[in-house]
Amino acid sequence: MMTPNDQALLEAARAARENAYAVYSHFQVGAALRTRDGTIITGCNVENGSYGLSICAERTAIVRAVAMGYTEFDTIAVVAHPLATPCGACREFIIEFGQEIRVLCADANDLSRVQSWQIAELLPDSFDRASLPRSGQ
Ligand code: THU
């Protein structure tokens, strides 16, 4: 069920998508993170002539948020046309900050076409910081 807060997050992701630098794939993606305190931080994909360096919208949003001092996230919205779910690398990047983060993916042309998951459903049995041995042990 989408709340008014979810709708606002999807709208923010759609607006961020306008800034996508997708000159190679022409596949524009916008993302918007909602922090636990309700702040919205957006990102878009940023491609590069050395194709492998391209960064997805989700990771752009997370890197921006962390640089601003936020590490506690409630939901990430992803908007593309057609609807796209986060790639494997982005799933790892999202789950770093919590198994329970919600992921909303919507079609840019119709935000009511939306799917939602918890990140752990998209990346079951994940490698995360709990998998790392603690130093000194
Ligand atoms: N992309 C994203 O930004 N997020 C996704 O969830 C899927 C893929 C970008 C990466 C690349 O710039 C373009 O979409 C095509 O793969």
Side-chain angles (χ1 to χ4, degrees):
M1 192 61 196
M2 295 301 126
T3 65
N5 278 345
D6 292 335
Q7 301 295 351
L9 200 66
L10 290 164
E11 292 287 0
R14 178 156 67 181
R17 179 173 174 267
E18 296 297 315
N19 293 329
Y21 182 77
V23 295
Y24 303 105
S25 73
H26 303 291
F27 189 69
Q28 299 174 298
V29 186
L33 267 176
R34 184 167 59 224
T35 68
R36 290 255 180 86
D37 74 3
T39 303
I40 292 178
I41 298 159
T42 60
C44 60
N45 52 332
V46 182
E47 297 186 345
N48 190 272
S50 177
Y51 299 161
L53 296 181
S54 299
I55 303 174
C56 294
E58 297 91 322
R59 276 176 288 156
T60 304
I62 291 171
V63 168
R64 285 187 75 202
V66 172
M68 292 165 68
Y70 295 101
T71 54
E72 298 199 329
F73 308 123
D74 175 66
T75 305
I76 184 166
V78 183
V79 169
H81 180 72
L83 177 155
T85 61
C87 76
C90 287
R91 293 176 194 206
E92 292 280 5
F93 225 78
I94 295 165
I95 213 163
E96 173 70 20
F97 297 97
Q99 298 268 336
E100 292 177 6
I101 295 172
R102 288 169 70 232
V103 180
L104 308 179
C105 298
D107 186 323
N109 289 3
D110 178 1
L111 294 183
S112 72
R113 291 171 55 112
V114 60
Q115 290 182 263
S116 84
W117 300 266
Q118 282 199 342
I119 186 61
E121 297 178 84
L122 295 178
L123 192 65
D125 304 319
S126 63
F127 177 85
D128 66 15
R129 62 186 154 187
S131 315
L132 291 170
R134 293 205 198 131
S135 61
Q137 291 190 329

